[in-house]
Amino acid sequence: MRVPDFFGIPRSIRFIIVVSFTAVSVSITALLGVGLYRIFARHTEQLLTESSAQLLHRVSENLGDYLRNMRSLSDAVYYASIKSKDFAKENTNREMELLYEANRDDLISLALYRRDGTLLGAAPVAVEKQDTDVRQQSWFRSAAAKVENLHFSTPHVQDLFDDPSYRYHWVISLSRAVELNEGGQSSEGILLVDMNYKSVADMLDDVNQDSAGRYVYLCDSRGELIYHPRRMQIDAGLVAENSVVAANYADGAHSEIFQGERREVVVETVSYTGWKLVGVIPGTYFALGLLNVRQLALGLVLFTAAALALVNRLAATQVSKPLVLLNESIRKLELGQETQVYIGGSAEVRHLGRTLRSYVKEIQLLMRDIVREQEEKRKSELDALQSQINPHFLYNTLDSVVWMIEGKRHEDAVLMITRLASLFRISLSGGKTVISMEAELQHAENYMNIQKVRFKNSFRMRYEIDPAVRNYCTVKLILQPILENAIYYGVKGMEDEGEILLRAELTDGELVLTVRDNGYGIPAEEVPLLLKEGEHRPSRGSGVGLLNVQRRIQLRFGAQYGLRIESEPDEGTEVRICLPAIPYNEENRQRLEEGR
């Protein structure tokens, strides 16, 4: 059959359907792919920035601990030694030597000076270099100007003392003004603790290894660099750093454009020093992290577009084929050939065919009865499946798996995914409606194990299973809705520990499954409404899951079987499922599947 397109050129209906649906579906898929990619890109950037902030916080804590140790060492020299000495008669060299030996990995030297620059004691050496005037040193002036404070300098070469090994040490000086006692007279001095800069550099070098473009540097409150992984290139003028601006940032993440490149800057102040730890995340770092995602997104869009084109082609063929066959049958009638009008395809095509037949009413009535019966059966089974596979449950379960992986609980995550896979495998059951009680109980146990993880073991699950019941027939997915109600409308949010009991037993030739909780219970007037269709629904929960289970059981086994519900407010709820005791084998399963 041919129909004209928009340009007046005859085109087949299949061609029009394929082109139209493929164009629409591919466009929507592309838009969804782009939108989801942008959302994921923003989320990824946020995660990477938060990861950098956490890393920076850990480094800041480690650096703060190191500086506090140096401060404690300065306090020990001052309060335990200098305060107790009369410098007219004695010195602190012995105490300084002991403290130096105990902390030599992090120290270069300790020294004590009078306000006029005279050396009173030092460790590990006490021989000053000639023509050294410490009063011109920045650390000395800072301590003398602000008596009450401790002062940290920027890195510099220590050149105060003669070193027999002729080595030069990079240090960070911690200086403070101290009070001296000389023959009963109080005077002022300066205590110097030269920290080994290598300890700080090593700490930050470890962070900057294998960073893929992301790096961390340290500066003071004025933006003067204390540590930078590219310090040599910066000093040589080969690269630049935006440290002066970064020093004025508040703690947290900031976006900036530096030398034409967009980047994220994360800042954290180090303890009481005023130093700024700055983490720099260049835009290329985000792009590198999203490279695989872009490739995956593009691959998925292309695959989805190809799959949709194929599905649309098959669907167009299925839609157009009845029209073609109906048209051919009408042509044969026009030519006087004896033939039967084709009936098939959509309702419209069937209607066109049936109008040419004399017995249209009988066929319509027969088809209506068959369709109603089949649709009712399919709807019941579809409702059952949809009531179990809850997207919210799946989302929370996967979120728990992500949380376990982030917390390095890989074994727990694997166990969680395994349980989830088993849960869905049994839910599908290869298309079967009737399964063994063993599989149904395993499905229930997997479901409750997942829920216990999601609810952080806020309730206790107890099983009383008679082994003899495991090899009997049951309709699949009858326990999960009841267990779900026991959690959400029974024990969830209880102040005391909630408990759910699952019992399976043989009683008087019947299978009896019991689910009991010690939760809030249900008002007596609402219990009868749980298994009745209508507009009146109970206040806690929709009751749709229970009604669905009841209908499916009675559809397979008869009206004498199904659910029995007993509940009392503040005492709990008990739901009993009664089933016939039919041994599970292939013959019995097929008979039940066929409704016999």
Side-chain angles (χ1 to χ4, degrees), residues 237-440:
L238 300 177
V239 296
E241 187 55 76
N242 202 23
S243 58
V244 175
V245 175
N248 293 315
Y249 283 148
D251 287 2
H254 307 271
S255 297
E256 66 175 20
I257 304 295
F258 181 63
Q259 296 183 332
E261 180 186 3
R262 183 186 74 86
R263 64 184 194 175
E264 286 289 315
V265 175
V266 184
V267 179
E268 180 157 341
T269 303
V270 180
S271 190
Y272 46 82
T273 63
W275 293 355
K276 299 280 188 175
L277 261 176
V278 184
V280 178
I281 314 171
T284 54
Y285 183 81
F286 293 127
L288 182 63
L290 292 171
L291 179 60
N292 292 334
V293 176
R294 283 200 299 272
Q295 294 174 347
L296 177 61
L298 179 60
L300 287 175
V301 169
L302 293 176
F303 175 80
T304 304
L308 287 174
L310 177 61
V311 170
N312 288 336
R313 181 179 177 86
L314 296 175
T317 300
Q318 293 300 317
V319 171
S320 62
K321 183 178 178 180
L323 293 173
V324 173
L325 295 175
L326 178 60
N327 185 59
E328 292 296 327
S329 66
I330 293 175
R331 282 185 178 181
K332 290 180 180 180
L333 286 175
E334 289 175 346
L335 295 175
Q337 298 179 7
E338 291 185 3
T339 184
Q340 193 174 39
V341 176
Y342 173 78
I343 296 178
S346 64
E348 292 84 355
V349 179
R350 289 200 304 271
H351 178 68
L352 289 174
R354 285 194 297 269
T355 57
L356 301 177
R357 294 190 178 187
S358 59
Y359 44 87
V360 61
K361 286 186 178 181
E362 290 80 3
I363 295 179
Q364 286 178 335
L365 290 174
L366 179 60
M367 292 296 297
R368 188 181 300 116
D369 291 338
I370 294 174
V371 169
R372 184 185 300 114
E373 180 181 351
Q374 293 300 318
E375 286 297 322
E376 181 66 20
K377 185 176 180 180
R378 285 198 297 268
K379 181 177 180 298
S380 177
E381 295 176 351
L382 181 60
D383 287 345
L385 188 59
Q386 289 176 337
S387 69
Q388 310 312 314
I389 305 177
N390 188 328
H392 185 66
F393 165 75
L394 178 59
Y395 169 81
N396 285 335
T397 303
L398 294 178
D399 190 53
S400 299
V401 172
V402 172
W403 168 70
M404 290 177 179
I405 294 175
E406 289 178 344
K408 308 299 182 183
R409 295 171 53 190
H410 298 135
E411 293 183 359
D412 292 341
V414 169
L415 183 59
M416 190 78 156
I417 294 173
T418 302
R419 289 169 176 169
L420 185 63
S422 177
L423 189 79
F424 281 102
R425 183 169 61 252
I426 297 173
S427 295
L428 298 176
S429 300
K432 299 175 183 177
T433 300
V434 177
I435 62 175
S436 69
M437 185 61 69
E438 172 75 23
E440 178 68 12

Side-chain angles (χ1 to χ4, degrees), residues 8 43 97 188 200 291 313 505 544:
H43 184 61
E97 286 288 347
E188 188 175 291
V200 176
L291 179 60
R313 181 179 177 86
E505 57 189 344
V544 174

Side-chain angles (χ1 to χ4, degrees), residues 33 51 83 107 148 161 198 214 227-228 235 292 312 333 385 491 546 557:
S51 173
K83 281 281 192 179
L107 278 180
E148 298 298 329
F161 305 104
K198 187 176 183 300
R214 182 178 60 174
Y227 165 87
H228 198 288
D235 291 341
N292 292 334
N312 288 336
L333 286 175
L385 188 59
V491 301
L546 296 176
F557 302 117

Side-chain angles (χ1 to χ4, degrees), residues 534-572:
E535 298 179 355
H536 301 288
R537 297 255 51 90
S539 60
R540 296 182 60 82
S542 66
V544 174
L546 296 176
L547 184 59
N548 179 271
V549 171
Q550 173 86 330
R551 287 168 53 196
R552 289 191 294 120
I553 291 175
Q554 293 182 347
L555 182 65
R556 291 293 167 193
F557 302 117
Q560 67 271 34
Y561 299 103
L563 304 185
R564 309 290 184 269
I565 303 174
E566 296 179 3
S567 185
E568 188 173 347
D570 298 325
E571 293 293 330

